[in-house]
Amino acid sequence: MIKKTILSLNALVLYSCAPNPPEVKGPESITFRIETIEEKLSKDSLLQMRFYIEDLKIDTAYASSESLEGQIRRHLLENNMSSEGNYSTYAEMIKQMMEEYRTLNGEEEINQSWELSQSLQVVLNENGLFGLQSSHSSYTGGAHGNTFISNQTYRLDNQNLLTLDSLLIPAKKQEFIAICESKFRQEQELEPTESLDAKGFWFKEDRFYLPEIFSYSPAGLSLFYNSYEIAPYAYGIIEIRLSKEEIAPFIRGEYILAAAPTSAL
């Protein structure tokens, strides 16, 4: 009995002295490069289609770097998908759009060339966060093309795609919305209680709400309403900008960033 007790105590001591498993952490920032894909379709020296696509490549090697790069690319491809599009690579997207153009051109001659472009800007790469803003433009006939902005903001430790709500302190969200509405009304030259609907905006039930698309950086926060989201095409993309100082009281502590030296939103 004594020997068994001693063995048990020794095992307990060894177990308690064993090092804890290391906590898995992502990098504070990553190195990356932006590569360009350019394709054209011409017939009899006439330009029919043109593609200009910027793609992100992550150079920093860590446990989930490939997963993050793939997730970013999937979101970018989704932003370029037409109602009939279904592709997993840029090569598939270009091939499918070219085939669609040839089919339509065979049925009735298309006198206008099609275009698709995607440009990228890394707006955040510190504090374990990575933010990528993308601008997408396309023209496939009609009175005008379509342009819109998208954004992806990730935690590098778990590749979670952050929403605006995940950045904000829940108890202060309504106050934050009120500040954003005040800025919106000032920029659109609206009185504090003036009807949004009467001025041509399409807010449901004539009540202001925040957009889903945002860009978070050391300089502050930008909110984007894309064309046709809350107003006619002529309004273009509507942006609400808030400085780092303005958003500081509303951001969760874990997502507070260092001040931007010279960069702007």
Side-chain angles (χ1 to χ4, degrees):
M1 179 65 69
I2 295 175
K3 288 183 178 180
K4 287 184 179 180
T5 303
I6 292 173
L7 287 173
S8 298
L9 287 172
N10 286 339
L12 180 62
V13 170
L14 288 172
Y15 179 79
S16 62
C17 292
N20 293 325
E23 184 180 351
V24 178
K25 291 185 178 181
E28 285 294 301
S29 62
I30 58 175
T31 57
F32 63 89
R33 54 199 156 91
I34 293 177
E35 296 186 347
T36 301
I37 302 169
E38 294 187 83
E39 292 281 351
K40 292 181 181 180
L41 175 65
S42 300
K43 182 179 180 181
D44 299 330
S45 73
L46 295 176
L47 180 65
Q48 294 179 317
M49 299 190 72
R50 176 166 47 197
F51 297 88
Y52 176 85
I53 299 168
E54 293 182 349
D55 186 30
L56 183 82
K57 301 286 188 180
I58 296 177
D59 293 324
T60 300
Y62 68 102
S64 303
S65 57
E66 290 186 9
S67 172
L68 177 61
E69 183 179 298
Q71 188 173 345
I72 289 172
R73 188 170 296 114
R74 282 193 299 274
H75 280 283
L76 291 172
L77 281 164
E78 288 172 3
N79 288 332
N80 290 312
M81 284 185 182
S82 65
S83 58
E84 299 178 357
N86 183 17
Y87 24 76
S88 57
T89 67
Y90 290 116
E92 289 179 6
M93 180 188 73
I94 292 171
K95 180 181 178 182
Q96 187 166 321
M97 289 190 68
M98 284 184 172
E99 289 175 352
E100 183 181 354
Y101 183 93
R102 290 190 183 101
T103 300
L104 292 174
N105 201 33
E107 296 173 355
E108 55 178 306
E109 187 173 350
I110 301 176
N111 296 319
Q112 296 169 312
S113 62
W114 287 9
E115 295 189 10
L116 183 143
S117 68
Q118 170 182 289
S119 58
L120 307 179
Q121 180 185 7
V122 173
V123 296
L124 176 60
N125 189 21
E126 64 177 69
N127 198 40
L129 301 174
F130 185 78
L132 180 71
Q133 183 170 305
S134 57
S135 177
H136 306 264
S137 298
S138 65
Y139 179 77
T140 55
H144 55 74
N146 294 307
T147 300
F148 69 96
I149 287 176
S150 187
N151 185 276
Q152 302 177 58
T153 303
Y154 291 93
R155 288 181 58 130
L156 293 176
D157 59 352
N158 56 19
Q159 287 73 59
N160 280 352
L161 181 61
L162 299 178
T163 62
L164 183 58
D165 277 349
S166 61
L167 294 178
L168 299 175
I169 299 171
K172 294 188 175 183
K173 183 178 178 181
Q174 292 306 313
E175 183 183 353
F176 178 77
I177 293 174
I179 289 176
C180 291
E181 180 174 4
S182 177
K183 274 186 166 287
F184 177 85
R185 287 180 174 276
Q186 289 175 11
E187 292 168 3
Q188 301 301 324
E189 299 180 351
L190 294 168
E191 296 297 327
T193 59
E194 192 172 359
S195 168
L196 297 167
D197 184 66
K199 285 294 184 178
F201 293 101
W202 300 337
F203 288 99
K204 293 180 181 178
E205 299 180 359
D206 202 23
R207 295 180 61 183
F208 177 86
Y209 54 81
L210 300 176
E212 292 184 2
I213 305 300
F214 69 93
S215 178
Y216 184 46
S217 76
L221 183 74
S222 279
L223 306 173
F224 297 99
Y225 298 94
N226 278 305
S227 298
Y228 293 120
E229 188 172 347
I230 59 167
Y233 179 82
Y235 281 76
I237 297 172
I238 297 174
E239 179 181 0
I240 302 174
R241 291 190 179 193
L242 297 99
S243 68
K244 174 182 171 61
E245 291 73 25
E246 288 175 310
I247 64 170
F250 305 101
I251 300 295
R252 296 175 191 254
E254 62 190 297
Y255 297 129
I256 294 291
L257 303 174
T262 56
S263 62
L265 283 171

